[in-house]
Amino acid sequence: MKDNTLIRTLILCFLIISTLNSGAQYIEMDRPAEWENLVYGGRFMDNFLPVPVPGELTYDTWGAENVIPRYVQNGIEDNEWSYWGGNILAGDDGKYHLYVCRWREDAPKGHMEWPNSIVVHATSDNSIGPFTVSSSIGKGHNPEAFKLSDGRIVIYVIDGYYISDNMYGPWEYRKFEFEPRDRPIIEGLSNLSFAQREDGSFLMVCRGGGIWISKDGLSPYYQVTAGSVYPDVEGRFEDPVIWKTGIQYHLIVNDWYGRIAYHLRSKDGVNWKTDPGEAYLPGITVYTDGTRENWFKYERMKVLQDKSGRPVQANFAVIDTLKHEDMPNDKHSSKNIGIPLAKERFIEFHDKNRINSNTKSFRVTIKAEDGFNPHADVDIESLRFGDPETVNYGGGSRALKTTPSGRNLIVTFEGAGNEITDKNFTAKLLGKTTSGKLLFGYARLPWIDYNEAILSARLPAFANESSGGKLFIEVQNFGQVHSEKSTVTIDLQIPDQKIMTVTGNIPRLHPYESIMLELPYGDKYTLTEAISVTVTLRTGKQVLEVLKGQLKIKHH
C-alpha cells in the first residue's frame, strides 16, 4: 500500500514539473480522494509490466533528456521518419505485424505534418521489436488493423480503410458507410476502434464515445447509443481502444488535456461501467534492468491479444515533448513502443448458484495453463474475490481452503464480504503469486445472460390522413440472439397541448432484423413541426432504451 502511494506521488510530481516547463498546454486533473485507497491491482495501470531489455542502451539518438539513454529497439523508430499510432497482429507465419503510420521527420511542418502520413507494414520476430518496415500501404493516419471472420485484414484509417486477403497485401482502399440512426455523432467519425463479437459481427467506438455495430465489420455501421459512454468527468477525450475477452468488453479512453486515461468494462459493449484509478499515465515505461523512459505523452493505446482474447501487450504512440515543439531537423520526434501486460488468469465459478450477502461459502476454480500452476503459484492468503470495485479497494471474500482438481485449483471462499449484487455482471479475483507478482482474473456470473438482444429504435415520423394519422417507427435488433416480445411507448410533447402517448407491440425479432411499426394516433390532436418526442422500449418492466429528439414529418 505504501509503495503504491509512493509511486503515484512520484508520477504526479513528474507531471507537475513537466507542466511548469511546458507553458501549461494541459492541466493536472484532480483525482478522487478515494483512489488513494486502491490496492495494488485495483487499477488498470497496475497491469503494466517491466519491458524485457531488447538490446543495448543508446545515447546517440534524437530525444529530450527525459528519454536518453533509451532502448531504440523497442517498437519502431529511426532518424528519418516520425511514427504514430498503429497496432500489432500476430501472424500465422510466426511473425508480429505492426501497421503504423509515419511522415518524414524533416517535413516543413514537423509533427504537424501528420495529415500527410503514410501507413506502412512492419514486422518483427517478437512483439516488442525492433520492427522493420517491409512495405508501404498508402496514405492514412491513426491506423488500427483487425481480422474479419473470413481471414481478411482490415486497416482502418481516418476517413476510410484498406483491405487485403492477407497481412502482406496487396491492399485495396475503401470507405465505410455509417448510419447514425437519428442520433448525434459525437465529435465526428475519427479515431475509431473495433472489437469482434461472438458471431463475427463488430462493435465500434468512435472518438466521442458513441457505440456502433456492423453485422460483418464492413457493411454499414449503425449507431446504437444516443450519447457518449465515457465517464462523466471534465476532460477532452480521444484515442479510445476497445477489445473483448472471453469474459467482457474493455474500453480505455485518454483525456489528452489532463494526460490521464480511464478504464471501462461492459457486458454487452453498449452499457459501460468506469473502473476507479488511472488506466495509464506518463512514466509507465520501465525495463527489467530498471531503466526508465519518461516520454512526454502516451497516446493511441492499442492492445495485442492472445488467442483467448486476453491483452498481453499495450502499444503506444509516444513523443518526447509537446507536439508543436517537434520541428523539422531537430532533436525531437515520435515513435511506437510496446509494454507487456500482466496476463489475466482463467477464473470460473465452480458452483452455479447465485451468491449474495447471505451466502455462507462458495467455490471458484482457478485454471492452470502453460507457465502457470495454481497449486504452486498462488498465494492463497492474499486472495480476495467478489464485486470488482470492492475488491479493488481491498475488500471481498477471503479464501477458506483449497481443493485440487487435476491441474486446476478449487478455492472455497467465505460468503461474507463478496458484495455481489444485481448490478454486477462479473466478479474479480485479486491477489499475489507466491513470488509476489500481481495475480488477477474475472469470472462470469452463472446466473447472468451474457448474450441478449439489443433492441434499438429510430425516431418516429408521422403522416396525416383524412381519418386521423399514423406514426411510423423503426425498431431493430442489434443483438446476436432473437428478442422477446416487447413494447414501444412514444410520448409526444405538443406545444399548448397535453402530452400524447402512443404505444405499440414489437414482435420477436431475429438478430439484425428490423420492423417498421405503423401506429395510429387519432384525429383529435393537431401535430405541428415542433414536437418533442421520447421513445421508450421495454420488455416487461425492464427499460431497454430511451431515445429523445424531434418528431420527423412524413410529407405526402
Side-chain angles (χ1 to χ4, degrees):
M1 178 65 186
K2 291 182 179 179
D3 290 343
N4 204 23
T5 302
L6 177 60
I7 292 172
R8 294 176 189 170
T9 302
L10 290 174
I11 291 175
L12 292 179
C13 289
F14 168 74
L15 294 178
I16 293 171
I17 293 172
S18 299
T19 302
L20 295 174
N21 293 335
S22 66
Q25 295 186 28
Y26 57 89
I27 61 174
E28 176 61 35
M29 298 295 291
D30 291 333
R31 272 62 166 171
E34 60 267 23
W35 284 12
E36 285 299 318
N37 297 320
L38 288 166
V39 298
Y40 184 62
R43 55 178 182 166
F44 188 90
M45 185 169 162
D46 297 330
N47 295 356
F48 290 99
L49 299 176
V51 185
V53 172
E56 298 293 330
L57 273 176
T58 301
Y59 289 81
D60 185 17
T61 186
W62 59 265
E65 292 182 358
N66 46 296
V67 294
I68 294 178
R70 70 171 178 275
Y71 292 106
V72 298
Q73 300 89 350
N74 185 345
I76 188 168
E77 68 166 283
D78 57 57
N79 293 325
E80 187 176 354
W81 300 91
S82 293
Y83 292 86
W84 201 252
N87 69 301
I88 297 172
L89 297 179
D92 295 334
D93 56 358
K95 292 185 178 295
Y96 291 86
H97 299 257
L98 171 65
Y99 300 95
V100 64
C101 68
R102 68 181 186 180
W103 58 92
R104 290 197 58 84
E105 192 282 328
D106 60 1
K109 296 181 180 179
H111 189 90
M112 294 302 110
E113 186 70 17
W114 67 260
N116 296 318
S117 58
I118 302 295
V119 178
V120 295
H121 173 208
T123 61
S124 174
D125 293 330
N126 66 82
S127 62
I128 294 296
F131 282 84
T132 302
V133 173
S134 62
S135 66
S136 178
I137 294 171
K139 289 192 65 175
H141 193 64
N142 283 351
E144 178 175 296
F146 58 92
K147 182 182 289 188
L148 300 175
S149 293
D150 61 10
R152 288 183 293 172
I153 306 299
V154 174
I155 305 174
Y156 159 78
V157 292
I158 294 177
D159 294 332
Y161 68 95
Y162 294 92
I163 186 168
S164 173
D165 290 337
N166 61 74
M167 292 185 173
Y168 290 93
W171 301 91
E172 178 185 352
Y173 180 77
R174 298 180 185 176
K175 291 273 192 177
F176 285 121
E177 295 179 35
F178 301 100
E179 174 51 71
R181 302 178 61 252
D182 305 323
R183 290 151 169 80
I185 300 176
I186 309 165
E187 295 190 28
L189 285 164
S190 65
N191 296 358
L192 313 182
S193 186
F194 305 80
Q196 190 172 34
R197 305 199 296 177
E198 291 90 343
D199 66 350
S201 60
F202 277 82
L203 195 79
M204 179 269 282
V205 59
C206 67
R207 173 176 176 167
I211 300 296
W212 304 64
I213 291 176
S214 167
K215 188 175 180 179
D216 62 6
L218 294 180
S219 60
Y221 277 84
Y222 298 94
Q223 190 170 8
V224 295
T225 55
S228 174
V229 301
Y230 295 159
D232 186 18
V233 297
E234 180 184 358
R236 301 181 187 180
F237 294 114
E238 67 171 8
D239 296 348
V241 56
I242 191 171
W243 71 93
K244 183 182 182 301
T245 69
I247 305 296
Q248 60 193 329
Y249 292 87
H250 295 261
L251 189 158
I252 288 179
V253 63
N254 180 36
D255 170 16
W256 64 267
Y257 190 56
R259 297 203 309 166
I260 179 176
Y262 297 85
H263 176 225
L264 299 85
R265 298 179 297 108
S266 172
K267 180 186 79 169
D268 57 11
V270 177
N271 302 286
W272 293 84
K273 175 181 176 58
T274 302
D275 278 351
E278 303 91 343
Y280 63 84
L281 287 171
I284 56 176
T285 310
V286 182
Y287 291 82
T288 52
D289 65 356
T291 300
R292 293 180 176 270
E293 295 174 3
N294 289 318
W295 294 98
F296 181 78
K297 272 198 172 186
Y298 290 72
E299 296 187 2
R300 303 300 302 161
M301 176 181 167
K302 300 296 177 186
V303 295
L304 171 64
Q305 296 172 260
D306 67 10
K307 293 182 179 180
S308 300
R310 298 174 298 183
V312 294
Q313 179 175 307
N315 276 72
F316 292 92
V318 294
I319 188 170
D320 63 323
T321 187
L322 287 164
K323 293 178 181 179
H324 286 280
E325 291 182 0
D326 178 10
M327 305 303 293
N329 296 310
D330 67 358
K331 66 177 182 179
H332 301 300
S333 192
S334 57
K335 64 173 292 185
N336 184 287
I337 65 169
I339 305 176
L341 293 169
K343 185 179 292 186
E344 176 182 340
R345 296 304 171 186
F346 294 119
I347 312 296
E348 187 176 90
F349 265 93
H350 189 84
D351 305 312
K352 303 303 179 185
N353 297 326
R354 181 188 291 266
I355 66 173
N356 53 41
S357 58
N358 297 319
T359 301
K360 292 184 178 181
S361 65
F362 58 90
R363 296 182 295 174
V364 174
T365 299
I366 303 177
K367 295 186 177 183
E369 57 182 305
D370 291 344
F372 175 67
N373 176 7
H375 298 284
D377 295 341
V378 178
D379 178 354
I380 302 300
E381 293 294 324
S382 72
L383 296 183
R384 298 293 182 272
F385 187 88
D387 161 55
E389 186 160 355
T390 299
V391 169
N392 289 338
Y393 283 101
S397 297
R398 297 173 182 268
L400 297 175
K401 67 176 183 178
T402 62
T403 307
S405 178
R407 295 181 61 211
N408 301 330
L409 183 67
I410 299 174
V411 182
T412 300
F413 287 89
E414 63 181 358
N418 71 80
E419 301 296 330
I420 292 176
T421 68
D422 291 339
K423 295 181 180 180
N424 292 107
F425 56 88
T426 64
K428 184 175 181 178
L429 177 78
L430 185 60
K432 298 184 298 182
T433 67
T434 50
S435 61
K437 296 181 179 179
L438 176 64
L439 173 69
F440 78 102
Y442 291 94
R444 285 191 167 189
L445 304 178
W447 53 90
I448 297 292
D449 187 353
Y450 287 88
N451 203 347
E452 297 179 307
I454 302 174
L455 286 185
S456 184
R458 297 192 63 164
L459 291 175
F462 75 82
N464 286 315
E465 300 176 357
S466 58
S467 60
K470 290 182 179 180
L471 286 174
F472 297 85
I473 185 167
E474 180 184 282
V475 180
Q476 188 167 355
N477 178 13
F478 290 97
Q480 303 172 77
V481 297
H482 68 75
S483 65
E484 301 300 325
K485 292 181 179 180
S486 307
T487 60
V488 58
T489 302
I490 305 170
D491 293 318
L492 304 172
Q493 180 61 67
I494 304 169
D496 301 322
Q497 299 183 53
K498 294 182 179 179
I499 293 178
M500 180 175 74
T501 299
V502 179
T503 62
N505 295 318
I506 306 167
R508 284 164 52 112
L509 297 177
H510 293 293
Y512 312 106
E513 182 182 4
S514 65
I515 187 172
M516 182 68 76
L517 300 177
E518 297 183 18
L519 307 176
Y521 62 78
D523 58 357
K524 58 182 179 180
Y525 299 96
T526 302
L527 297 182
T528 68
E529 299 257 348
I531 302 173
S532 296
V533 58
T534 300
V535 178
T536 305
L537 300 182
R538 292 183 177 88
T539 295
K541 295 182 179 181
Q542 180 185 5
V543 175
L544 305 176
E545 180 184 65
V546 177
L547 177 64
K548 297 183 178 183
Q550 297 293 313
L551 190 70
K552 291 187 176 182
I553 302 171
K554 194 179 185 71
H555 295 286
H556 287 279

